[in-house]
Amino acid sequence: MRPGLFKMSHISLLAFALLFSLGLSGQTYSFRNYGKANNLPGTVVYTLNQDDNGYLWLGTNEGIVRFDGFDFYRVLYPDSSTGRYPTVTLKDQDGTLWFGCNDGSVFRSSGKTLEQIAMPGSSLTGISAILQESDGRLLIISQRQPFFLIDPDKPGNVSTISFREDPGIFSAGQTATGEILSGTQENLLVCRIAGDSIITENRVGGFDYARIMAVLQLGDTKDFMIGTDGNGLFRLRLEDSGPVLTRFAGFPVLESLSVRSLVKDSKNSIWITTSGEGVFRMTFREDAYIPVSVQHLDMNSGLAGNNVLALFEDTGENIWMGFNGEGLSLLTSDAFEFFAPGGISGQNNIIFIGRLSGNYLLGTPSGFYLYDLSAVKPVSFTSLTGKTGQKAVNSYFIDKEENIWVGTQGSGLYVKRKTGVIRQFYRSGDSGSDYISNIAADDENIWLATLNGVRIISRKTGALKEVYDINNGLPPKGINHILMLGDGSSYVATESDRLYRIIPGSGVVASDVAMHGMMLNKVLGLARDRNGVIWAATYGNGVFECYDDSVKLLSTANGISSNYTYSIFADSANDIWIGHERSISRYNQKTGVTRVYSTDFARGGQCNPDAFYESADGKLFVGTTEGLIVYDRSKDKKKQLPPVNNINSITINNVEYPYQPYINLPYKKRYTIKINYTGINLGNPEKVYYSTFLENYDEDWTEASSSREVTYNLSDGKYKFN
C-alpha cells in the first residue's frame, strides 16, 4: 500500500471517549428498499402474499399492487369504491389469493385481476382474518359480528355465521381440531362453529387488557404464540384441564412489544413485527419450541423504519417487510452482517482481522479491538499511536504464539508478546524501508513489505537477514502484499505486469507470462487457491488468474463489480472473494458465476487491502473503512428456484398487444413476433425477452396464400391456417 492511495484515519482518543465508543457498537444487515422512488403505489403496506406465477401481491393504502421484482402494477377493484385498502390476505389450497378489506369487502385473484365476492348485509366492518377450514371452505372473520363461510368452488353462496357476542375481533387462529381462537380487546376466545352459529367454549385472560393482535400455532397442535399490543408475547397451551398462559423465559425484551404480526418461516424461526421497535426473529431448539436466541432488527440494523405491519417469506426464502409509511423492504440475506465497533468517526476503519485468545482482533490505523462477536461488542481497545511515535499503523500479523506484530507508516516494526507490552522490534532508519505495508512470517523469519522492497528479519533477534529490492531484480515501486508459500518462498504484489517470486538464498524470479491490462498494472493483493493457482487483484485491470504457463483475466466482463480491486481471498470452498470500493464480488470457480454484494448496508465502506479472514467455523470477515462485514455461509439461502416465466405482452411487426393465448393474424409473407415475458425471481430479478419469426419456412406457409388468417399458439410456438 502506498501513501495517498487509501484514506487512513489518525485519531488520538481520550480514555473516556474510548469507553464511550465501546458501548456504541452497531450491527446492520443487507436490505433492498422500495418506496415512492420506485413507483410503489402507497407507502403503507398492510399485507403481503405471492401467487403461483411468482408475483408478490401487496395490500397498500392505495389498493392492491402486483410486483415482479422490477415494476409495480396496480390491480384495480371491479367497482369504483375509494378509500378501500386490504387488511388481511390468504392463499388457499388451490393457489387463489383472497383479500379482506377495511370496508368489509372481500376479493379473490383471477389471473392478474380481482373478482369481488358479494357479501350479505349492508353494515359490514373491516375484515380481521381469513382462515381455511379442513373441508376447504373459507371463514371470513370481521371485526364485528357476523362471520361468513365461503365455498371457493361456489363463491356466490356466502353463509352467515352468527356470533352471540360482539367483542371486537382483531386477530384469529385455528387449532387442528377446528377450534377458532379469536383475539379481542382484552382476552382470547376459544370458539367453535355449531351449525350457523359460533359458540364460545372458553375464555383465556391474563393479558392485562392488552389487545390481541396475532395468533400463531406452534409445532404442537396445542401450542400457540399470542402477540399483544403493548404487552408483548405469550405462549398458550390448550391443556385438557384448561388453557395455560406463560411467558418465554429468559427473554424479557419480548414482554412489552406492540406486536403487529407473527410469521413462521421455512426454517421454523418466528418473525415478530412491531409498532415502534422493528422486527424480532426467534430461533428455537430443534426438538421443541424452546427459544434459544432472539435477533432484533430495527433502523439501526438497516431497516427502512421501525413500524412494521407485515412480513412474508416468498418461495425463494426471501423475507419481505411492509412498513407503515416507508414502503417495502427485502432482506436480501441475513448471511451478511455489519459491525461498527467504534462509536467515534475513524475508529471503524478495519485494516486487519485475526483470532486472538478466544476473541477477534480488529486492527485499525490507531490501535486494535478485541471483539466478542457473539455478544456484538468490543471487549477492549488498545491504542497504539502513542507507542509508535504518533505514526499510523499500516499492517498487523498474529503468529502461532499469539504475538501481535505491528507495521507502521515510517516508524518500523513493533511487537506485542502474549504476556508483554508493545515495543519496537525493528527500525532501519530509512523512512521508505520503515513504511511497512504488509507483514508475513515463516518459522524463522519475519517478512516486511515496504516502500523500498522486501526486508527479511530474524523472528528472534530482529536482525536484518536479507534485502530484496531494485538491486536484485524487483521493480522499483513499493511492495503492497506478500503471499507466503509452503516452501519458504513468497510471491510479492507490486507495480508490474508480471508476478515476482522471492526464493531466499536463490534470488528473485519473474514469471514468463505477462498480465496485460488497459492501465498500468498495480497489484494490490495476492491469493492462492486450493489448486495452487495465484490470483492477483489489481487497481484498474481487474483480477488475473495466474498459472505456470498462462494468465486469464477476470473483469467486469465476467461479472465482477469493478476492475478496481483492493483485496482478494480464496476461501475454504475455493470461492474467490474480491474487495472493491463499495461492493464485494464472489467468483465461484466451479460454475463460473460471479455474485456481487453491495456494501451500502455497511455504510458504503471501502474494502481494505489484506483485510479478509476466514474463521475455523467458515465465517468470512471483511474489513472496510466503516467497520466489519461478516458472512455466515450457514445462513445463506440453500433454496435456488428457477424463475417463473410470465408473458406480459406480444409485439407483432412493431405493434404491441396485451397477452392472450391465441392471436389471429392476417396472412402475410413475414411476421416478426417479439414475446415480452418476465422471469420472476424476486430475490434476484431478471428481465427476459424472447423473439421469434414467422415466414415462409415450409411449403404449408407458401401454399396457404389463399388463406386470409393464421393462428399462432404462444404456448408451443406453432401456427395453423384457418
Side-chain angles (χ1 to χ4, degrees), residues 27-31 33 297-305 329 601:
Q27 178 181 13
T28 61
Y29 300 85
S30 177
F31 291 92
N33 300 318
L297 287 75
D298 60 7
M299 291 181 69
N300 294 323
S301 309
L303 274 184
S329 283
F601 77 99

Side-chain angles (χ1 to χ4, degrees), residues 154-169:
K154 300 176 182 179
N157 298 329
V158 180
S159 302
T160 300
I161 308 296
S162 62
F163 195 11
R164 296 175 183 176
E165 303 189 47
D166 190 12
I169 306 297

Side-chain angles (χ1 to χ4, degrees), residues 609-629:
D610 197 38
F612 274 107
Y613 174 79
E614 187 174 15
S615 63
D617 58 356
K619 292 185 177 71
L620 190 78
F621 295 70
V622 186
T624 78
T625 53
E626 295 294 332
L628 177 70
I629 296 173

Side-chain angles (χ1 to χ4, degrees), residues 468-614:
Y468 294 93
D469 56 20
I470 188 174
N471 296 313
N472 44 17
L474 285 180
K477 300 296 183 179
I479 306 300
N480 301 315
H481 186 244
I482 299 173
L483 175 66
M484 296 296 299
L485 305 180
D487 59 1
S489 66
S490 71
Y491 282 102
V492 295
T494 184
E495 188 171 311
S496 173
D497 65 350
R498 297 173 190 274
L499 285 181
Y500 286 84
R501 184 177 181 181
I502 298 176
I503 306 174
S506 298
V508 177
V509 179
S511 64
D512 295 329
V513 184
M515 300 179 290
H516 295 295
M518 299 296 293
M519 301 176 60
L520 184 66
N521 218 43
K522 299 178 182 179
V523 182
L524 299 182
L526 296 169
R528 188 186 190 197
D529 66 22
R530 293 187 305 179
N531 302 318
V533 178
I534 305 300
W535 298 77
T538 73
Y539 188 74
N541 289 327
V543 172
F544 290 97
E545 183 180 358
C546 304
Y547 298 84
D548 291 337
D549 57 357
S550 63
V551 169
K552 295 181 181 179
L553 177 62
L554 188 68
S555 68
T556 52
N558 307 99
I560 70 172
S561 174
S562 168
N563 288 332
Y564 290 87
T565 62
Y566 296 159
S567 53
I568 192 162
F569 185 79
D571 69 13
S572 58
N574 226 22
D575 286 347
I576 305 301
W577 294 81
I578 306 157
H580 306 282
E581 184 174 1
R582 294 183 67 91
S583 60
I584 303 167
S585 297
R586 178 188 182 185
Y587 175 66
N588 186 306
Q589 294 194 69
K590 291 182 179 179
T591 64
V593 174
T594 301
R595 296 187 65 185
V596 174
Y597 307 96
S598 169
T599 61
D600 287 347
F601 77 99
R603 303 179 185 172
Q606 171 183 302
C607 296
N608 280 320
D610 197 38
F612 274 107
Y613 174 79
E614 187 174 15

